Amino acid sequence: MTKLRVLSYNLHSLRDDRRALAEVVRGIAPDVAILQEAPRRFRWRQKSAALARDFELVVAGGGLPALGNLILTNLRVRPLDGFDIRYPLTPGRHMRGAAFVRCRVGRSTFVVVGSHLSTDATERPSQAAVLKARMAELQEPVVFAADLNENSGGAAWRTLADGLVDAAGADERHTFPCAAPRERLDAVFVDPRVTVLSYEVVDTPAARLASDHFPVVVELDLPD
């Protein structure tokens, strides 16, 4: 078995305290960071690379092609290949998508998936169905993290959770908003072949300055 530390974090389009944000992520020291609301517009490659340097990580995939879903890794993790998808656009709404990166650590190969679903309740179920269909095509164990923009029990949440393990277990701590937490929008799901060792919502003074979402950290054991 191979241990892996995974961070899921909505960065609030980098509108908050960048120094605090870097402090939070470096303190967590993830092997894999699955980020939402990362750079996706002008000079997104340079901005993503600068963000990775701030976090002491490297860019593995995502960015503009995944519409702001960015996957970073440390040097322990080797990205092998990846692709991005975009959900059908509803007129008048924001286009959204997902990033997929196949990775290897030691003898373990797995696929990291990151997404950020719509704020519109009528749009989320169809986005979840598209994403679920693509994840079902993967042969390797999946590590999937997202800002689902709904709480557990919602239609999109149920679709995506089907057949996967919610890393939180019975822990329903809220992840949003930092100023007055009342919703659990951020989740990490893993393949049943993956063992969840721990789950944490990081609520620190720096985290409250860094974004409007709390970071979620999970420790995993991957199958060889």
Side-chain angles (χ1 to χ4, degrees), residues 37 39 77 87 102 118 127-128 144 148 159 179 201-202 218:
E37 295 195 28
V77 178
Y87 306 131
R102 182 174 286 102
S118 174
Q127 293 176 347
F144 164 54
L148 299 179
T159 295
V201 176
V202 179
V218 299

Side-chain angles (χ1 to χ4, degrees), residues 31-219:
D31 296 302
V32 175
I34 306 171
L35 308 175
Q36 303 88 39
E37 295 195 28
R40 57 173 287 183
R41 293 185 175 88
F42 180 65
R43 298 182 64 246
W44 67 272
R45 289 184 179 86
Q46 295 94 323
K47 291 176 181 178
S48 296
L51 188 67
R53 285 195 298 271
D54 287 347
F55 294 167
E56 300 178 350
L57 300 170
V58 297
V59 175
L64 175 61
L67 300 168
N69 296 289
L70 183 65
I71 297 174
L72 309 180
T73 68
N74 63 13
L75 296 180
R76 177 173 173 257
V77 178
R78 182 155 70 98
L80 302 176
D81 56 55
F83 62 93
D84 307 288
I85 65 171
R86 295 185 175 189
Y87 306 131
L89 178 62
T90 301
R93 304 296 303 176
H94 294 296
M95 181 172 280
R96 296 179 184 266
F100 292 69
V101 179
R102 182 174 286 102
C103 300
R104 180 172 295 151
V105 176
R107 295 185 297 176
S108 300
T109 303
F110 57 102
V111 179
V112 179
V113 182
S115 190
H116 185 188
L117 299 190
S118 174
T119 57
D120 180 33
T122 63
E123 199 175 21
R124 285 194 297 270
S126 61
Q127 293 176 347
V130 170
L131 179 55
K132 189 68 172 180
R134 295 305 299 269
M135 287 198 291
E137 299 170 359
L138 303 172
Q139 299 301 312
E140 299 89 348
V142 170
V143 176
F144 164 54
D147 175 355
L148 299 179
N149 264 317
E150 68 180 30
N151 289 283
S152 58
W157 188 297
R158 293 196 306 272
T159 295
L160 291 166
D162 184 37
L164 297 175
V165 175
D166 185 343
D171 190 339
E172 288 282 344
R173 272 180 291 173
H174 299 148
T175 64
F176 175 85
C178 289
R182 58 182 178 273
E183 297 186 275
R184 182 184 167 219
L185 305 184
D186 307 273
V188 179
F189 301 95
V190 298
D191 187 284
R193 290 171 287 182
V194 175
T195 302
V196 178
L197 301 176
S198 67
Y199 168 89
E200 182 64 28
V201 176
V202 179
D203 180 355
T204 63
R208 287 178 176 259
L209 295 173
S211 176
D212 60 343
H213 287 248
F214 289 125
V216 173
V217 183
V218 299
E219 299 276 356

